Amino acid sequence: MIDARDVHKRFGSLEVLKGVSLTMAKGEVLAIIGPSGSGKSTFLRCLNHLETINSGCIDIEGETLVSTVSNGICHYAPDADLRRICGKMGMVFQHFNLFPHLTVLQNIIEAPMTVKGLRREDILPRAEALLRKVGLLDKRDSYPARLSGGQKQRVAIARALAMEPDIMLFDEPTSALDPELTGEVLRAMRELAEEHMTMLVVTHEMAFAREVASRVVFMDGGEILEARPAKDLFASPEHPRTRAFLENML
Amino acid sequence: MNYVLDIMGPLLEGTGVTVQVFLITLVISVPFGLCLALLRISRFKVLSGLVNGYIWLMRGTPLMLQMLFIYFALPFVPVIGIRLPDFPAAIVAFVLNYAAYFAEIFRAGIQSIDRGQYEGARVLGMSYTQTMRRIVLPQVVKRILPPMSNETITLVKDTSLIYVLAMNDLLRAARGIVQRDFTTTPFVVAAAFYLLMTLVLTLGFQHLEKKYAVYDE
């Protein structure tokens, strides 16, 4: 599903990703954990072209998003292909990024209508089903400002799913929430995982990583230090930095 | 009171000219200003720089001077030399000038929209144009209503500058009567007319602000 090889990313002189490689199979739920500034969010954002990489290769479902030839210059797919390839991935942000001028329902049907050209009545049943699924059908006509953080994030999940992505990327989806609101968001994500959605989740929620993720990736200093089945990584972290990180977190 | 009714005719005629200049300027300069703002923030450095220079020129010199230039000097400029009658000359000057101010209001509004909105739209597959049209600009409208209200009210009063092209706007009509009849009453009536026009605008903008208040950010 996702195949990233030797991804390098610099912000100015700061090297944020120092050759990250990761492959992910269909239906896998992968959690990326690690200290702040380890590059895990940046890596996620490189996968759907919110950031451009400096070198490396990324394939999504067998299609090349970006490749680097021997001379070190990386080539992105043409714009139309880029948009199509990135369209296979939905994304949920730390700060929701809902559209404040649109109601909950409008937030969900906006992209299916403008991007896919669907008619309102065609997308409406699906939009309502998604809202019911995240438990917010009664909020369909509310504006985002009237929702709690947890509700906003569940709308954001429904909005991403409305585009029928094959892969869902989550960028610290609970980090901006009050602790008592994280549960409802994690529950929605857990349900999604049980439906075998392919998910890549950058998170600080160790319990979620341990219970829901099939594999857990530990990143630090712009590198992947460990990527192993969740149980193994939490039970017996191999790398001393993983061990130190987990001891701090738990 | 009878005197006020007597002078109403020429004053209303003047108001007609004022309203025409105001409306035509507004209708053309707002979309023109939006285009300038979009060019100003575009990635094309040369275009952005040119627009920047244009805005500097238009905001940096008096509107009256620009109007005089277009009416009197433009005919003698090589290549683009064109002689415009007074009304079109005034409209061209007003549009060129006000578009520059509107451009800066639009730019400030567009740049105040959080990056997350662009990213949110982008990961849903929306193009730049779709993002602008459906996500960014509708939010910009809400944010720029107060400065737009300011600027349009200023425009109502700036229309009085067209007297330099000997056009009979509201203020010039009033002044004509003042000089004829040796009374300042026409000024008071003219002031009332201006206040009425700006009241309509004020109420209109307040209505819009209320309409956009259905959502918070």
Side-chain angles (χ1 to χ4, degrees), chain A residues 8-85:
Chain A
H8 288 260
K9 169 72 183 171
R10 278 188 308 276
F11 288 119
S13 60
L14 182 70
E15 196 171 21
V16 194
L17 299 177
K18 301 170 183 164
V20 175
S21 301
L22 184 72
T23 57
M24 225 182 131
K26 188 172 163 56
E28 239 192 321
V29 176
L30 218 136
I32 305 182
I33 62 171
S36 301
S38 57
K40 50 194 194 306
S41 280
T42 304
F43 177 61
L44 196 71
R45 291 166 58 83
C46 288
L47 294 178
N48 65 353
H49 193 43
L50 284 179
E51 305 285 354
T52 51
I53 66 173
N54 295 107
S55 70
C57 304
I58 298 173
D59 295 345
I60 306 292
E61 294 187 45
E63 288 193 89
T64 304
L65 180 78
V66 55
S67 59
T68 303
V69 281
S70 51
N71 60 5
I73 298 167
C74 64
H75 292 279
Y76 272 92
D79 272 355
D81 291 342
L82 267 186
R83 200 164 321 140
R84 189 173 43 78
I85 296 170

Side-chain angles (χ1 to χ4, degrees), chain A residues 116-134:
Chain A
K116 289 189 172 172
L118 294 176
R119 284 178 311 176
R120 192 185 149 89
E121 55 267 35
D122 293 336
I123 184 66
L124 214 54
R126 180 171 169 75
E128 285 176 342
L130 284 167
L131 277 175
R132 197 171 301 120
K133 188 170 156 182
V134 297

Side-chain angles (χ1 to χ4, degrees), chain A residues 45 48-51 83 86 89 91 93 97-102 110-111 114-115 143 145-146 159-160 163, chain B residues 114-117 119-128 130 133-136 138-139 213-217:
Chain A
R45 291 166 58 83
N48 65 353
H49 193 43
L50 284 179
E51 305 285 354
R83 200 164 321 140
C86 291
M89 293 173 280
M91 186 166 193
F93 298 88
N97 297 351
L98 293 180
F99 306 131
H101 62 304
L102 302 178
E110 177 61 43
T114 48
V115 178
Y143 285 94
R146 299 252 182 274
R159 181 177 74 172
M163 289 300 279
Chain B
D114 183 60
R115 248 181 72 136
Q117 293 291 305
E119 292 188 347
R122 178 145 165 213
V123 299
L124 290 167
M126 295 173 80
S127 66
Y128 179 77
Q130 289 168 336
R133 240 191 50 232
R134 305 285 307 172
I135 306 302
V136 176
Q139 295 182 60
V214 293
Y215 75 87
D216 303 311
E217 297 179 61

Side-chain angles (χ1 to χ4, degrees), chain B:
Chain B
M1 199 59 207
N2 272 339
Y3 177 70
V4 171
L5 286 178
D6 282 346
I7 61 173
M8 215 38 115
L11 288 185
L12 279 175
E13 253 172 61
T15 306
V17 175
T18 294
V19 169
Q20 274 182 48
V21 173
F22 169 76
L23 284 179
I24 298 174
T25 301
L26 196 64
V27 167
I28 307 176
S29 62
V30 168
F32 182 31
L34 176 60
C35 295
L36 288 175
L38 290 172
L39 290 176
R40 174 86 172 84
I41 60 171
S42 78
R43 283 170 302 159
F44 306 107
K45 287 280 178 298
V46 179
L47 276 175
S48 170
L50 280 173
V51 171
N52 202 13
Y54 172 84
I55 290 171
W56 174 62
L57 181 71
M58 285 299 152
R59 295 197 305 177
T61 54
L63 174 54
M64 196 193 285
L65 186 146
Q66 292 162 15
M67 207 161 26
L68 291 170
F69 182 87
I70 285 168
Y71 188 65
F72 291 112
L74 198 59
F76 303 105
V77 173
V79 189
I80 55 162
I82 175 173
R83 187 180 299 276
L84 290 172
D86 53 4
F87 191 80
I91 294 292
V92 168
F94 270 83
V95 165
L96 292 180
N97 181 278
Y98 267 79
Y101 284 94
F102 287 138
E104 284 297 275
I105 293 177
F106 276 117
R107 182 174 71 87
I110 293 169
Q111 290 181 335
S112 77
I113 301 294
D114 183 60
R115 248 181 72 136
Q117 293 291 305
Y118 293 89
E119 292 188 347
R122 178 145 165 213
V123 299
L124 290 167
M126 295 173 80
S127 66
Y128 179 77
T129 317
Q130 289 168 336
T131 305
M132 275 294 169
R133 240 191 50 232
R134 305 285 307 172
I135 306 302
V136 176
L137 291 179
Q139 295 182 60
V140 166
V141 172
K142 175 178 171 135
R143 292 192 188 185
I144 65 173
L145 280 176
M148 284 303 265
S149 161
N150 254 342
E151 209 54 40
T152 40
I153 286 175
T154 304
L155 173 57
V156 172
K157 295 170 294 174
D158 271 0
T159 52
S160 60
L161 289 174
I162 59 175
Y163 82 92
V164 295
L165 302 188
M167 288 164 69
N168 272 316
D169 72 302
L170 174 57
L171 185 57
R172 188 161 185 263
R175 206 167 48 143
I177 305 170
V178 167
Q179 285 164 349
R180 187 190 69 196
D181 298 347
F182 294 108
T183 163
T184 50
T185 311
F187 279 152
V188 178
V189 180
F193 276 28
Y194 279 114
L195 280 170
L196 204 65
M197 287 186 271
T198 50
L199 179 68
V200 171
L201 285 175
T202 306
L203 292 177
F205 273 100
Q206 278 171 3
H207 172 77
L208 281 175
E209 282 186 39
K210 216 173 274 165
K211 195 181 135 203
Y212 276 95
V214 293
Y215 75 87
D216 303 311
E217 297 179 61

